Amino acid sequence: MAQMSPTMSSFEPFVDAAEASQFVRLHPATVQRLAREGALPGHPLGNGRRRRWRFRISELQDWLSSRSNAER
């Protein structure tokens, strides 16, 4: 059995706006708008006007936690 390197064991894949929207329970267009505005952690792909956004669930989870803590 092959062993994974330390960098491979910590690898987290990106998800698209549709998957991210299911996690945060917002519409995909809202997720993309918040990412463009810098309010939601996201990673743009491409240099053109119509970038594709990708997200990490762990970053979205941290974002949700910070919002719920701020509302208390």
Side-chain angles (χ1 to χ4, degrees):
M1 181 165 49
Q3 291 185 343
M4 292 174 54
S5 69
T7 56
M8 288 299 292
S9 64
S10 62
F11 174 76
E12 179 183 357
F14 286 100
V15 298
D16 63 12
E19 291 176 88
S21 69
Q22 290 176 350
F23 183 77
V24 296
R25 297 182 182 261
L26 295 171
H27 192 275
T30 303
V31 167
Q32 290 178 325
R33 179 179 52 81
L34 290 172
R36 268 193 316 274
E37 293 171 354
L40 186 82
H43 304 272
L45 300 177
N47 295 325
R49 177 172 154 79
R50 297 183 57 98
R51 294 181 180 168
R52 294 178 187 254
W53 287 88
R54 295 297 182 260
F55 305 87
R56 289 199 166 123
I57 296 297
S58 63
E59 293 174 349
L60 296 175
Q61 187 172 15
D62 291 343
W63 178 78
L64 285 172
S65 294
S66 69
R67 286 179 43 104
S68 65
N69 289 340
E71 293 172 0
R72 291 181 185 180

